[in-house]
Each structure stands twice: as structure tokens, then as C-alpha cells.
Amino acid sequence: MAKRAPTPNWRAWLARWDEQQESFNPSRERRFDAMFDVLAAALPRRFTALDLGCGPGSLTARLLRRFPAARVVAVDFDPVVLQVGRGALSGLGDRITWVDANLGAPGWTMSLPRRRFDAAVSTTALHWLRRPELRRLYRDLAPLIRPRGVVLNGDYLPWGAQRPRLGRLAERARRNAFGGKSLQSEWAGWNRWWRDIEKEAALQDEFVLRKERFPTPHGSSRDSPVPLEFHLRALRRAGFRDVDVVWQEMENRVLVGFR
Ligand SMILES: C[S@@+](CC[C@H](N)C(=O)[O-])C[C@H]1O[C@@H](n2cnc3c(N)ncnc32)[C@H](O)[C@@H]1O
């Protein structure tokens, strides 16, 4: 009889995920809090949010802790992180619905368990999408968010070619914060997490699927990062109002938009 792989320590994997994310974004918790302050001011106690590019559920878990009457539909396309999230956050029961869907593909909203949300939130995820995909995603979101509902995107949103001086300033500040090391060194924690978790026998099927879905390693694309201005414009064109930056530390920002 084939031996079953031992159950991984999902919570430990989530804790290590948080550690590596924080290693290149030391303001991560403050940025989560800034997003929750907006949700607290904009929504009633009981609400349902979409978490776009949820990973193993860092944002979802914090949101559900801060808002005990809330629920989250957490979407990602990576079977490995979805499995870590399901395992680590199983104690939250049906307050989380995990959805396996590609935010960059048309029709992803058909995988959602409902057609109406009070909010959509996302952290460190939408920079994975290219411009046409982002435009479509924001357009797809508009009819899903109820009137007076809110979208919040926390991510590195660069100034871009229109503001080269500010871009250089942000780059220098980032290097200073990391002791003069190159951006490459920021990837060390991410790469280590993936190298280590790939050894989990219980995740081998998920890794096969992951390699089909993400054939090139994240960060290898030569596309220039999508600037802040693009997000602002695309959200407005999709039908969101009062679109603006509500929190920022150089290019690390939280964007808000209302229906
Ligand atoms: C750096 S992680 C951030 C995860 C989590 N939001 C956090 O803050 O820790 C980016 C996530 O976006 C997901 N992602 C990237 N492209 C995606 C796509 N096309 N559809 C769904 N999820 C995607 C990745 O699988 C990954 O889990």
C-alpha cells in the first residue's frame, strides 16, 4: 500500500510566508491596517469582501480578525498557496470561501460563489497582471461591487516614466532601507520559501499544476511595472469614483475607489 505523505504544518508555512513578504515590505502590517481603516469607515460591520490574489490568506486572515462579522471570498490561481491557506486557516470555517481562478483570464468571475460584494481588496498581487488584464479586471469588478462599495489595492505602484525624478528618489530610498543592497537580494526570502515548500511530499500534485499555470518564475518578465497613473485611470474608466491614494510610503501605496 502506498504511504500517505505526512500532513504539512500549514500554519508554519503561512508564518514563513508572512516573514518573507515582510522582509521586502517592512510596512506590510501598517499597510494592511490602513486598508482596514478605510473598510471600517466605509462599510457596516457585516460585509463580504473579495480578496484578489489572496496567496495563502495573509490579508484574508487579518481582515477576518479585525472584522468578526465579515466574510471573504479569496481568489488565487496558484494551487500551492491555496492549499497552504486552506490548511492554515481551516479554523475560520465558512467565513472564507477559497476560489481557484485566473484573474488575468476573461470569465474568471464565473467561478465566484456570488455576484455581489461590499468590497474588493488586494495586496502585493495585481502587479502580476499586464495592462490589458488589469483593465479587464477593473471592468469586471465594477458590476460586482455594490453601490457605495469599495475597492482597495495595496501594492508597489511606481511613479513611472512621467515622474522619473520621483522614481529615482523612491529607488534610492528603497536601497537605503535595505542597507544599499540590490533589489535582487529582496527575492532571497521568496525564493527560499518556494525552494523549501517544494520538498513537501503532500504538495507534489499542486506543484505539477503550478508549473503548468506559471511556467516562468515570477519576476522574470521584462515588462516594465505598471505605473500608478495607469491604475488610477483604469479604475475611473471602469466606473469607480473618488479614486485616489489613501496611504503611501514612497511607491508602496494603497489605492481606493468607490462605486
Ligand atoms: C506576492 S503574492 C501576495 C499574496 C497575498 N495577497 C499577500 O499579500 O501575502 C501574489 C499572489 O497573486 C497571485 N496571482 C498572480 N497572478 C494571478 C492571477 N492571474 N490570478 C490569480 N492570482 C494570481 C499569486 O498566485 C500570488 O499568490
Side-chain angles (χ1 to χ4, degrees):
M1 207 167 67
K3 266 211 316 212
R4 277 241 306 272
T7 304
N9 184 341
W10 301 118
R11 286 192 196 185
W13 283 118
L14 176 55
R16 276 190 61 186
W17 172 274
D18 283 333
E19 236 171 74
Q20 54 91 355
Q21 289 288 305
E22 201 161 319
S23 72
F24 60 81
N25 180 9
S27 317
R28 187 171 182 247
E29 294 299 336
R30 279 194 286 133
R31 196 178 68 183
F32 284 135
D33 287 340
M35 293 171 70
F36 299 156
D37 289 345
V38 173
L39 294 179
L43 299 178
R45 266 176 3 91
R46 192 175 296 277
F47 64 86
T48 303
L50 259 176
D51 178 356
L52 303 169
C54 60
S58 307
L59 168 60
T60 286
R62 284 162 179 75
L63 187 155
L64 292 177
R65 254 199 320 267
R66 167 106 177 235
F67 301 100
R71 285 169 183 266
V72 173
V73 173
V75 184
D76 207 285
F77 195 45
D78 183 332
V80 173
V81 294
L82 284 170
Q83 198 55 28
V84 174
R86 284 191 193 101
L89 302 178
S90 58
L92 288 161
D94 66 1
R95 294 182 67 206
I96 311 180
T97 306
W98 299 94
V99 172
D100 181 355
N102 181 359
L103 295 170
W108 68 274
T109 62
M110 300 311 289
S111 308
L112 298 175
R114 53 193 288 162
R115 308 304 307 160
R116 214 61 168 160
F117 294 87
D118 302 289
V121 294
S122 182
T123 50
T124 328
L126 300 188
H127 66 270
W128 288 51
L129 303 183
R130 286 168 304 181
R131 290 168 203 232
E133 296 169 338
L134 266 173
R135 235 184 250 120
R136 186 174 55 226
L137 174 74
Y138 287 148
R139 274 203 310 265
D140 288 344
L141 278 181
L144 290 175
I145 306 297
R146 65 146 167 95
R148 292 189 297 284
V150 61
V151 168
L152 285 163
N153 179 20
D155 209 344
Y156 278 95
L157 302 166
W159 270 295
Q162 284 173 331
R163 315 296 291 273
R165 187 176 189 168
L166 293 181
R168 285 195 300 274
L169 182 81
E171 170 62 20
R172 270 200 302 279
R174 204 162 150 115
R175 273 178 194 262
N176 290 344
F178 287 92
K181 288 195 217 123
S182 75
L183 281 182
Q184 229 26 52
S185 65
E186 292 180 44
W187 286 96
W190 169 266
N191 291 334
R192 207 174 311 117
W193 192 88
W194 281 105
R195 207 181 50 228
D196 291 350
I197 199 167
E198 194 165 0
K199 295 181 195 131
E200 286 283 7
L203 285 172
Q204 292 318 297
D205 291 349
E206 283 78 5
F207 268 98
V208 171
L209 189 55
R210 175 173 204 268
K211 281 171 191 162
E212 281 168 26
R213 290 180 174 185
F214 297 95
T216 52
H218 179 50
S220 59
S221 155
R222 258 176 264 208
D223 295 345
S224 57
V226 178
L228 167 68
E229 199 50 44
F230 179 92
H231 287 266
L232 294 171
R233 205 173 333 115
L235 276 166
R236 287 180 189 127
R237 287 197 179 150
F240 290 92
R241 284 182 285 182
D242 294 313
V243 174
D244 213 334
V245 174
V246 278
W247 179 94
Q248 82 177 55
E249 197 176 84
M250 293 288 170
E251 293 180 323
N252 187 6
R253 314 181 210 245
V254 174
L255 271 195
V256 71
F258 291 87
R259 287 293 286 153

